[in-house]
Amino acid sequence: MGTSAIPGNAPDNAPGDRLTAFGNQLIDVHIWLREELARLQDDVDDYLAGDGERPRELQAHCLAFCSALTRHHTAEDDTVFPELARQVPELAPVLEQLAHDHHMVTAILGRLQDLLDGVSPAPDAAEARRVRGELDGLVALVESHFTYEEKKLVAALNALDTPLPDDFALRDARRG
């Protein structure tokens, strides 16, 4: 099964022809992460409105999402981006920007996790605003990051002929 029907992808006989090309895997991972982030937003909104999960479940959901996103970004930074830089050197400025975004995301994830770890059973309006503010910042940054990354890297990833780590596609996290 080739990928040539999708504009910008490698022709059917190219080394990038795989069951699922890496660029397509990136999009699949981003879809899954977007869905998980939306679920987390809903859970936080419900909790802050007094209708949601207990803090422990909310913290566990946040931790699972944060861990998956961090694993994906670490795989990109440690393996995928260096390989792309080697094979497509003109992507270096894009890869640097994306790596910078990863650091910003990591900082927000840490602040959000700290806030949720300390959230009271009945958060007041100020506490709710702090949690919601960090989460809104995370959503905005992640959406912008994913969109930019997809626009700039999908075609290059689909052309890669080098195996990438499982953490890039989060295969184990998305099962079930």
Side-chain angles (χ1 to χ4, degrees), residues 36 54 56 66 72 92 95 110 140 144 154 163 167:
E36 289 301 305
R54 296 185 313 254
R56 184 175 304 245
C66 294
H72 171 68
L95 300 172
S144 171
V154 167
D167 280 349

Side-chain angles (χ1 to χ4, degrees), residues 107-120:
I108 293 174
L109 289 174
R111 290 191 305 268
L112 180 60
Q113 190 68 51
D114 288 346
L115 284 171
L116 290 175
D117 285 348
V119 74
S120 63

Side-chain angles (χ1 to χ4, degrees), residues 19-140:
L19 192 56
T20 305
F22 296 128
N24 298 351
Q25 289 179 31
L26 177 74
I27 292 169
D28 289 345
V29 168
H30 286 177
I31 288 168
W32 182 79
L33 287 167
R34 284 176 172 116
E35 290 168 352
E36 289 301 305
L37 186 53
R39 282 185 51 229
L40 180 59
Q41 279 183 286
D42 290 345
D43 289 352
V44 167
D45 287 344
D46 289 348
Y47 177 73
L48 295 177
D51 304 335
E53 300 175 340
R54 296 185 313 254
R56 184 175 304 245
E57 285 80 17
L58 187 59
Q59 292 160 356
H61 186 179
C62 182
L63 185 59
F65 171 79
C66 294
S67 175
L69 184 60
T70 299
R71 284 179 44 223
H72 171 68
H73 283 168
T74 299
E76 287 179 335
D77 291 341
D78 292 352
T79 308
V80 178
F81 290 177
E83 186 59 28
L84 276 174
R86 187 181 71 73
Q87 291 191 30
V88 190
E90 59 271 20
L91 283 176
V94 170
L95 300 172
E96 288 173 20
Q97 178 60 50
L98 292 168
H100 175 72
D101 287 356
H102 291 172
H103 293 293
M104 291 175 29
V105 167
T106 298
I108 293 174
L109 289 174
R111 290 191 305 268
L112 180 60
Q113 190 68 51
D114 288 346
L115 284 171
L116 290 175
D117 285 348
V119 74
S120 63
D124 62 21
E127 188 175 25
R129 276 192 307 276
R130 285 191 300 275
V131 170
R132 191 66 217 177
E134 287 297 338
L135 188 53
D136 288 347
L138 177 64
V139 168

Side-chain angles (χ1 to χ4, degrees), residues 153-165:
L153 299 186
V154 167
L157 285 167
N158 281 345
L160 279 183
D161 59 357
T162 304
L164 296 178

